[in-house]
Amino acid sequence: MQYLYGSGEAAALSTQVWQVLTAYVAAAVKARPKDSVVLAAGAALDAPRFVPCGDKPFAALFDVDETVMLNTGYEYDGARTGNGFDAAGWDAWEQTGEGAVGPVPGADRALGELRRLGVTVVFNTNRSAANVEATVRAIRAAGLGDAVHGETLFLSGDDAMGSRKDGRRATIAARYCVIAMAGDQLGDFSDLFNAGQPVPARRAATTQDAVAGLWGRGWFVLPNPVYGSALKGGFDDVFPLDKRWAGPAAREKN
C-alpha cells in the first residue's frame, strides 16, 4: 500500500505507462491496424490470433480498479482496521465509496487525450452489475469521464462467465477495433493466463516470443502489489533452486 498509494515511484511508473500508451494509440490511429489486440476465440498464448478490425470504430479497453481508478479509501479502511478482503465489505465500498477514489496517476489525462483522438474509451471491470449506477458515479468522481452500461462499461454479471473477462472482451471486440488494452492483472488481457498453471509457468507465459512483443505495443500493465492474481507462489516457486545464495551468517552456522 505504501508503494502503490503513497510512493512517487508508483506515480512515476503509472504516468510512464499512460504516456507510452497514448503515443502508441496515436500511431495506431494513423496506421489503421488490420487486427485488434483482443485474442480471437480458440487462440492460444503460444499461437495468438486476434479479432479482425474491419471497418469498426477504434476503442481502447481498460480495467477499472487500480488501472484507471485508485481505491484509496477502501485500502485505508483495511489498513486502519487490519481487516482483509471480504465480499460484503467490497460490495459496500462499490455502493458508497465514490468520494474516496482518485485517478491512477496519468490516467485522467490519457483518457481525455484518447477521446480527443476519436478513440472510444471502454471499461471492462469485475465490479458488480448490481452496482452499476454507483460505479458510473465513481468513474466520474475520479475524473475519468462518463460510462454507459452495455456501451462503454461492462461488468461482472453481464454474462455467465463471472469474473472471467474473455466473453465481455469478445462482445466489445465485435463492436470496436480495440487498439490498446490496459490492466493491473493478467486476466485483463486474457483468461488463458489464469488457467490453473503453476506459478513459474504463468510467469514464463508472459515472456514467450508469441506474447512478449505485445507488452507496451497494445497491452499495457499497471503496477499493483496490493492484491490480485500476481500474489501467489510458495518459497520454491519464487526462489528456484538454481538461484539461491546463502550469506555469511548462514555459512558460519554450517
Side-chain angles (χ1 to χ4, degrees), residues 35-51 190 192-193 205 208-214 219:
D35 290 330
S36 76
V37 297
V38 176
L39 290 176
L45 292 176
D46 59 357
R49 294 179 295 103
F50 300 91
V51 177
S190 172
L192 295 172
F193 286 113
Q208 63 183 313
D209 290 345
V211 169
L214 289 164
W219 291 5

Side-chain angles (χ1 to χ4, degrees), residues 7-251:
S7 78
E9 287 84 351
L13 179 55
S14 295
T15 300
Q16 174 179 273
V17 171
W18 285 109
Q19 290 183 164
V20 173
L21 184 151
T22 302
Y24 177 86
V25 169
V29 167
K30 292 181 180 178
R32 186 71 208 186
K34 175 174 167 284
D35 290 330
S36 76
V37 297
V38 176
L39 290 176
L45 292 176
D46 59 357
R49 294 179 295 103
F50 300 91
V51 177
C53 277
D55 59 357
K56 290 177 283 191
F58 291 126
L61 180 56
F62 304 109
D63 174 54
V64 173
D65 299 304
E66 274 60 60
T67 295
V68 296
M69 184 169 71
L70 291 178
N71 293 292
T72 309
Y74 178 81
E75 299 300 346
Y76 159 77
D77 184 65
R80 177 182 61 85
T81 63
N83 294 331
F85 175 85
D86 72 88
W90 178 259
D91 186 63
W93 165 252
E94 283 192 11
Q95 294 180 39
T96 65
E98 65 196 71
V101 299
V104 167
D108 47 350
R109 293 190 298 274
L111 298 193
E113 180 59 26
L114 297 188
R115 291 177 174 118
R116 284 189 288 273
L117 289 168
V119 176
T120 300
V121 171
V122 182
F123 303 107
N124 185 12
T125 172
N126 278 332
R127 286 179 170 238
S128 172
N131 298 328
V132 58
E133 292 87 359
T135 291
V136 169
R137 293 195 302 270
I139 290 170
R140 187 182 302 121
L144 303 169
D146 291 323
V148 179
H149 188 207
E151 297 181 16
T152 57
L153 174 62
F154 294 80
L155 302 121
S156 180
D158 285 346
D159 59 22
M161 296 183 70
S163 63
R164 291 175 293 167
K165 292 186 172 182
D166 279 349
R168 283 174 264 155
R169 269 188 288 269
T171 297
I172 295 160
R175 303 179 189 180
Y176 295 102
C177 172
V178 179
I179 52 179
M181 295 193 293
D184 65 311
Q185 314 283 329
L186 292 182
D188 295 325
F189 305 94
S190 172
D191 291 335
L192 295 172
F193 286 113
N194 295 330
Q197 63 270 57
V199 167
R202 183 175 183 268
R203 181 179 173 94
T206 66
T207 59
Q208 63 183 313
D209 290 345
V211 169
L214 289 164
W215 306 117
R217 301 178 196 169
W219 291 5
F220 299 85
V221 183
L222 278 296
N224 184 357
V226 176
Y227 65 83
S229 58
L231 306 183
K232 294 181 180 178
F235 198 88
D236 290 341
D237 295 315
V238 177
F239 302 105
L241 287 172
D242 64 338
K243 298 293 188 295
R244 296 184 183 179
W245 176 84
R251 292 198 295 269

